[in-house]
Amino acid sequence: GQNIDQPTEMTATEGAIVQINCTYQTSGFNGLFWYQQHAGEAPTFLSYNVLDGLEEKGRFSSFLSRSKGYSYLLLKELQMKDSASYLCAVRDGRGSTLGRLYFGRGTQLTVWP
Amino acid sequence: GAGVSQSPSNKVTEKGKDVELRCDPISGHTALYWYRQSLGQGLEFLIYFQGNSAPDKSGLPSDRFSAERTGGSVSTLTIQRTQQEDSAVYLCASSQAGGSYEQYFGPGTRLTVT
């Protein structure tokens, strides 16, 4: 099975840096995704990690440690529009279920002015 | 359009009725997924289609739920004899291949069972 944990809520102020952690325990692993979901909208893709290390994309970075079953999403220079739910998802690597994504419950980030 | 589309956007139905939810994936995407998201919950996997392979139905919560994908494109999720616990947002996603690429989500169908 898959078990994915992330904090339920986080708050930060505009211009600050916030790190959202995700830990996972999986039977098979073939990559980790981060998605952003604004209230009432569909999730949108932010980042993908399959190898250990840091992937940087503008104000957002994502880190993966496969040996520790751990990832984080780092958001820099926070803006009000970054207030959203951030979903961590692990892709299954087993043959029969290859491609499935298992999602955490999401971290609701609120950015204050 | 360029993105994944779903219809209807909202559906209110009475308990015991059947409903059909439709998903139009991005053209050329061979993989299609259905998820369910209840209030305050994460996305729950329901079913996955990849090309002409047999679908992965292991996430369907009961035999009242079924889905098909015609011609490798449009998919329909059917819920028979709806129950109040079926109320949720049903999201469809597609990707270029089974597991190598990110999934693009549609806007979802909000189902309310009264």
Side-chain angles (χ1 to χ4, degrees):
Chain A
Q2 315 285 345
N3 187 31
I4 301 167
D5 289 315
Q6 50 182 132
T8 303
E9 294 179 330
M10 296 184 73
T11 60
T13 54
E14 216 172 359
I17 299 173
V18 70
Q19 177 175 311
I20 302 174
N21 296 325
C22 172
T23 59
Y24 63 88
Q25 295 174 314
T26 60
S27 307
F29 176 85
N30 195 20
L32 187 143
F33 292 79
W34 284 95
Y35 282 82
Q36 180 190 60
Q37 186 177 27
H38 285 99
E41 298 182 10
T44 55
F45 169 79
L46 287 179
S47 69
Y48 167 64
N49 295 70
V50 67
L51 299 177
D52 291 349
L54 188 68
E55 294 283 341
E56 297 187 78
K57 189 187 294 185
R59 294 190 298 116
F60 293 3
S61 303
S62 57
F63 171 83
L64 175 67
S65 169
R66 289 171 296 170
S67 62
K68 296 181 179 178
Y70 168 69
S71 173
Y72 68 71
L73 180 69
L74 191 71
L75 293 78
K76 303 176 186 176
E77 301 169 15
L78 282 173
Q79 303 175 9
M80 299 291 289
K81 67 178 182 180
D82 297 329
S83 293
S85 181
Y86 291 85
L87 309 176
C88 174
V90 172
R91 189 174 68 198
D92 202 308
R94 294 169 295 171
S96 61
T97 53
L98 181 67
R100 283 181 61 167
L101 286 186
Y102 295 87
F103 283 84
R105 291 192 172 191
T107 298
Q108 182 62 46
L109 173 67
T110 302
V111 179
W112 298 103
Chain B
V4 178
S5 60
Q6 292 185 245
S7 61
S9 55
N10 280 284
K11 177 71 176 179
V12 180
T13 189
E14 292 180 352
K15 177 182 172 181
K17 296 286 180 67
D18 298 351
V19 295
E20 283 190 354
L21 312 180
R22 177 188 169 102
C23 172
D24 260 292
I26 293 172
S27 179
H29 281 191
T30 59
L32 186 147
Y33 309 79
W34 282 98
Y35 296 90
R36 177 169 72 174
Q37 188 172 34
S38 302
L39 189 63
Q41 302 295 312
L43 274 73
E44 174 189 5
F45 168 82
L46 297 177
I47 188 168
Y48 158 44
F49 296 90
Q50 169 53 36
N52 295 321
S53 302
D56 174 1
K57 303 180 181 181
S58 57
L60 295 178
S62 78
D63 58 9
R64 296 187 294 107
F65 288 72
S66 63
E68 59 179 27
R69 188 179 185 191
T70 54
S73 180
V74 172
S75 177
T76 303
L77 177 69
T78 301
I79 309 173
Q80 295 178 313
R81 306 181 301 282
T82 51
Q83 304 294 313
Q84 288 186 332
E85 61 263 28
D86 299 335
S87 296
V89 176
Y90 289 81
L91 290 161
C92 173
S94 69
S95 69
Q96 288 188 20
S100 305
Y101 301 93
E102 67 264 28
Q103 297 178 17
Y104 293 83
F105 284 83
T109 294
R110 180 175 297 278
L111 175 66
T112 303
V113 182
T114 61

